[in-house]
Amino acid sequence: MLIANKHFYLTSDLHYMENLLMKLQCRIKGSRIYNASSGERLYIPYYIDRTHPVKVKVFFEVINARLKLFVEIQSNTYSKDWCLCKAEQIEDSLKSQLHEIIHDCEIKRNQYCLHKQLEDDIEPELSDVSPVETKAIRFLCQRKVGALISDSQSSRWLVAIRLVQSRYRAMQLERLIVFMPKEDIRQFKDLYSSIWKNKTFPALFISIESLSRNFQLYERLASYANSATMILIDSCHLFKSPLSVRSQRMENIANKCNYKLIMTDSLITNQIHDVYMQYNILDSLILRYYRWEDFSRMHIIFGGLDNNHILGYKNIGYLVDKIEPYTFSLENEKTNKCKAKIKTYTYYCDLTSRQKYHYSKKKTELLLLIEKNELTIHDVFRTFISLQKIVCGYPLGKDNIPGSSETNKLLLFKENVEENSIIFCKYLFEIDILLYFLGRRNCAVIRNKEDHSLEKDLFLQKKKKYLISTLYSPATKLSGIANCHNIVFFSLSFHYADYRRCFTYIADCGISGVVVKRFVTNSGIDKIIVENLKRKNKLAKELHSLLADKNRLAEFIKCL
């Protein structure tokens, strides 16, 4: 059945890539090319000797200029699990026998410019979009895969929907699969339906969380996706771990599709190596690493105790050069203008005596670990979070009653905050503190995983005086609120992106004439956070550089 002609010579021009299946057909007996709805396929005759009839379909398809082998088995007698298991066995066997052919094609593919292989040229759909969104849509219409970065969730979604429309009208798509956090799906579907009212092709909306725990769903999606399917992923930073089940399943699904778009407000949520898996989902040849071990060896500097701590990165210029042609950063002009008009005030207060005692105790514990040379980066982060919780008013001691707190911030709040204000907190215990201080009947509360529509309506109707939310994803949870007197940061995040996201929310909601007020303490940890916000930086970067020099780190801790 298999290899018939051993005297097959690879041509050296781009025409080879365009006729890849025809060249492959010359190597395999009885194979034929058919035009499927998703494009050309090279079918290979394959039969199984069974008592009961089994339908076997084996074919090659070119996905983003790469040969992809598919094996599908159907039977009215045997179970679905048996069919899947048998298909995997046949696929492994064929890959082993056809290894030489596939390897030759991969070598030839690597000789050509990846930009040429992934380039596209379709007419963009530009209805009701801003100039900067127009640039993004045009950019993405010129390539089959891409990454879109924007603080504004609504802008990301609008660009993505217009891109899907453009591809559909160019007759490239049969179906769409959208992956995003569960809490965002309903709002995205509403926007999708309002923009594209007469859509005529199927779209699936899948929560990213379900991809980890639902194997049956993963199997259905893996069999459903084909080369004419577009994959759209929002909050793609949730796939940053190359070793997680979620990331590996997403990569397997995406490998079957020609068209992919990943979106987020920040590709790097923790460390630079976060980009590896996200761009691997688009195409492994963008970074040109097939394995995580190869990437980490080339770009991560390890050190510290047991040589397991990340001290820094190398060859960053290489990564930038590789991802830049496929990445568009959607500069939010509304946000920039909004930030220029917003007045921001920072109010300081002292720590209480109990806070000072526990704060000093935590610092001493960390310094002792440095002296014993037992410090890990996890110890530093854990202690810094504990320090921030202390200065944010975390209840201390065993005699605290529910809602009690240990902070002077409440005095700042009483003196400087008016009614009809939106309050952002980093920690959930801060929400409990404010509810106890302001009274539950006066506060509308939006927590991370609760239905917030009723609470939001009560605030809009002025039946509640204050609206309290966490710092994370306010643009989604607080959409539709256009009028308030103050926006109050009861605490700040170590991450500049969390703070910046709130200004995007202000711009998206059209809030004008608002005053931003930030409440911090005179503690060293708060001063560091404020300085990091000014530099638009993350504290983690500074800590990683200090970890290599314990003396510098000890001095840094003492100054807190």
Side-chain angles (χ1 to χ4, degrees):
M1 164 215 154
L2 290 179
I3 302 173
N5 178 15
K6 296 184 179 179
H7 303 289
F8 171 69
Y9 298 97
L10 298 177
T11 58
S12 59
D13 59 352
L14 191 59
H15 188 66
Y16 170 84
M17 298 304 299
E18 296 171 351
N19 296 280
L20 194 55
L21 294 180
M22 293 178 61
K23 298 294 184 181
L24 186 60
Q25 185 182 11
C26 298
R27 303 288 300 271
I28 302 176
K29 266 187 178 180
S31 59
R32 294 183 182 276
I33 295 177
Y34 292 93
N35 283 318
S37 57
S38 59
E40 287 189 338
R41 291 177 176 177
L42 176 67
Y43 283 89
I44 302 173
Y46 199 100
Y47 306 98
I48 300 179
D49 294 329
R50 307 296 299 182
T51 304
H52 302 285
V54 176
K55 184 179 180 180
V56 182
K57 187 187 295 185
V58 179
F59 60 91
F60 275 100
E61 198 167 359
V62 178
I63 306 294
N64 288 343
R66 166 174 288 176
L67 279 174
K68 179 73 177 175
L69 176 63
F70 294 86
V71 179
E72 300 174 2
I73 295 181
Q74 297 178 358
S75 173
N76 294 326
T77 305
Y78 298 100
S79 68
K80 182 180 178 181
D81 289 340
W82 183 91
C83 292
L84 289 172
C85 182
K86 194 65 178 177
E88 288 180 3
Q89 292 176 4
I90 295 173
E91 184 177 347
D92 291 341
S93 174
L94 288 177
K95 281 183 177 179
S96 176
Q97 296 179 70
L98 298 172
H99 171 74
E100 177 200 350
I101 300 176
I102 297 173
H103 181 66
D104 286 346
C105 294
E106 284 294 299
I107 291 176
K108 180 57 63 175
R109 180 189 190 227
N110 290 339
Q111 293 176 1
Y112 297 114
C113 175
L114 184 63
H115 308 333
K116 288 290 184 183
Q117 298 175 31
L118 298 181
E119 72 178 2
D120 204 356
D121 186 17
I122 59 175
E123 188 68 26
E125 172 58 52
L126 301 174
S127 304
D128 302 321
V129 294
S130 68
V132 68
E133 290 164 349
T134 297
K135 293 179 183 177
I137 297 170
R138 291 189 184 278
F139 175 87
L140 295 170
C141 284
Q142 294 172 358
R143 45 199 43 78
K144 295 177 182 178
V145 302
L148 179 64
I149 306 172
S150 175
D151 297 334
S152 173
Q153 191 177 66
S154 59
S155 293
R156 293 199 309 264
W157 290 357
L158 177 58
V159 169
I161 294 170
R162 291 302 186 203
L163 177 63
V164 174
Q165 287 181 310
S166 303
R167 295 207 181 284
Y168 177 72
R169 290 173 183 174
M171 302 181 69
Q172 292 180 334
L173 302 183
E174 287 182 355
R175 56 195 69 163
L176 170 70
I177 307 179
V178 179
F179 295 91
M180 58 177 47
K182 182 180 179 180
E183 62 180 5
D184 295 337
I185 289 179
R186 183 172 62 86
Q187 189 175 350
F188 180 84
K189 289 175 72 174
D190 291 343
L191 180 64
Y192 182 79
S193 300
S194 64
I195 292 176
W196 200 351
K197 297 179 181 178
N198 299 317
K199 57 184 181 300
T200 56
F201 83 119
L204 298 180
F205 302 90
I206 309 298
S207 70
I208 290 176
E209 298 88 344
S210 65
L211 203 57
S212 304
R213 57 179 181 264
N214 192 332
F215 181 71
Q216 288 74 23
L217 173 65
Y218 160 67
E219 284 186 324
R220 290 198 299 271
L221 292 173
S223 60
Y224 180 76
N226 62 19
S227 59
T229 301
M230 180 167 180
I231 298 291
L232 195 161
I233 306 172
D234 193 29
S235 300
C236 62
H237 57 270
L238 297 176
F239 294 102
K240 62 180 179 290
S241 172
L243 304 179
S244 71
V245 172
R246 174 194 295 172
S247 296
Q248 292 173 2
R249 289 178 177 176
M250 185 70 255
E251 185 180 19
N252 290 338
I253 295 170
N255 281 343
K256 298 185 176 184
C257 307
N258 271 321
Y259 307 103
K260 287 159 272 189
L261 174 65
I262 60 175
M263 304 183 294
T264 183
D265 59 352
S266 177
L267 289 168
I268 302 173
T269 58
N270 189 19
Q271 302 293 341
I272 291 174
H273 61 257
D274 291 349
V275 302
Y276 167 77
M277 195 64 203
Q278 297 173 70
Y279 281 91
N280 238 36
I281 288 173
L282 290 181
D283 194 291
S284 59
L285 279 186
I286 291 179
L287 296 179
R288 293 190 177 272
Y289 295 110
Y290 289 99
R291 299 187 309 158
W292 161 248
E293 292 79 6
D294 297 333
F295 176 91
S296 61
R297 185 174 61 254
M298 290 298 297
H299 296 287
I300 300 177
I301 302 171
F302 291 99
L305 204 62
D306 299 326
N307 205 41
N308 286 327
H309 303 307
I310 297 176
L311 302 181
Y313 295 91
K314 56 187 177 181
N315 303 323
I316 302 301
Y318 173 89
L319 292 178
V320 173
D321 290 342
K322 292 299 181 183
I323 68 176
E324 188 176 26
Y326 307 97
T327 308
F328 191 95
S329 181
L330 191 61
E331 297 178 359
N332 197 314
E333 295 177 347
K334 294 185 297 182
T335 305
N336 295 334
K337 293 177 182 178
C338 180
K339 288 174 72 173
K341 296 178 181 178
I342 290 176
K343 294 182 179 179
T344 302
Y345 299 95
T346 303
Y347 299 87
Y348 291 89
C349 65
D350 294 324
L351 297 177
T352 66
S353 57
R354 183 182 277 188
Q355 281 179 311
K356 290 178 181 177
Y357 168 77
H358 287 278
Y359 188 91
S360 177
K361 184 178 178 182
K362 279 292 177 185
K363 281 176 55 178
T364 302
E365 291 174 1
L366 193 58
L367 290 169
L368 285 174
L369 288 175
I370 296 175
E371 289 179 9
K372 295 178 181 179
N373 201 30
E374 297 176 355
L375 185 73
T376 67
I377 191 65
H378 303 291
D379 294 324
V380 178
F381 287 137
R382 186 165 53 248
T383 302
F384 272 50
I385 291 172
S386 297
L387 291 175
Q388 193 189 26
K389 284 184 175 181
I390 291 171
V391 303
C392 286
Y394 188 77
L396 304 169
K398 300 180 180 179
D399 56 344
N400 294 293
I401 60 174
S404 65
S405 65
E406 189 71 37
T407 179
N408 288 323
K409 286 185 180 181
L410 296 177
L411 297 176
L412 295 178
F413 191 97
K414 188 174 182 180
E415 296 171 358
N416 298 287
V417 178
E418 306 173 25
E419 295 180 2
N420 195 34
S421 295
I422 298 174
I423 307 163
F424 291 128
C425 303
K426 179 176 181 180
Y427 299 107
L428 292 176
F429 73 81
E430 294 177 286
I431 295 180
D432 295 330
I433 291 172
L434 289 170
L435 290 178
Y436 187 79
F437 178 72
L438 299 171
R440 183 63 179 89
R441 68 179 185 278
N442 295 320
C443 301
V445 181
I446 296 178
R447 299 182 189 264
N448 286 342
K449 296 183 179 180
E450 296 179 357
D451 183 10
H452 47 264
S453 55
L454 178 59
E455 292 285 298
K456 188 166 64 174
D457 290 342
L458 291 174
F459 179 74
L460 289 172
Q461 296 166 11
K462 297 191 176 179
K463 294 180 180 179
K464 301 279 189 177
K465 299 178 181 178
Y466 307 98
L467 181 64
I468 306 175
S469 174
T470 58
L471 273 172
Y472 309 106
S473 301
T476 302
K477 303 182 192 316
L478 304 178
S479 61
I481 301 174
N483 294 305
C484 63
H485 290 156
N486 297 320
I487 290 183
V488 178
F489 289 90
F490 197 69
S491 57
L492 299 173
S493 171
F494 291 111
H495 293 250
Y496 172 74
D498 297 333
Y499 181 65
R500 180 188 60 192
R501 192 184 297 115
C502 296
F503 285 96
T504 304
Y505 149 70
I506 295 170
D508 283 350
C509 293
I511 298 175
S512 59
V514 71
V515 174
V516 172
K517 298 181 178 181
R518 308 187 303 187
F519 294 163
V520 295
T521 67
N522 288 320
S523 64
I525 193 73
D526 270 347
K527 289 178 181 177
I528 289 173
I529 292 173
V530 172
E531 286 300 315
N532 270 263
L533 293 181
K534 287 181 180 178
R535 298 196 302 267
K536 301 181 180 180
N537 206 345
K538 291 194 301 184
L539 187 58
K541 293 181 179 179
E542 188 170 358
L543 291 177
H544 276 288
S545 65
L546 290 171
L547 192 66
D549 188 336
K550 298 298 174 66
N551 292 328
R552 286 180 57 212
L553 180 59
E555 290 300 319
F556 180 82
I557 301 299
K558 290 176 183 177
C559 294
L560 288 177

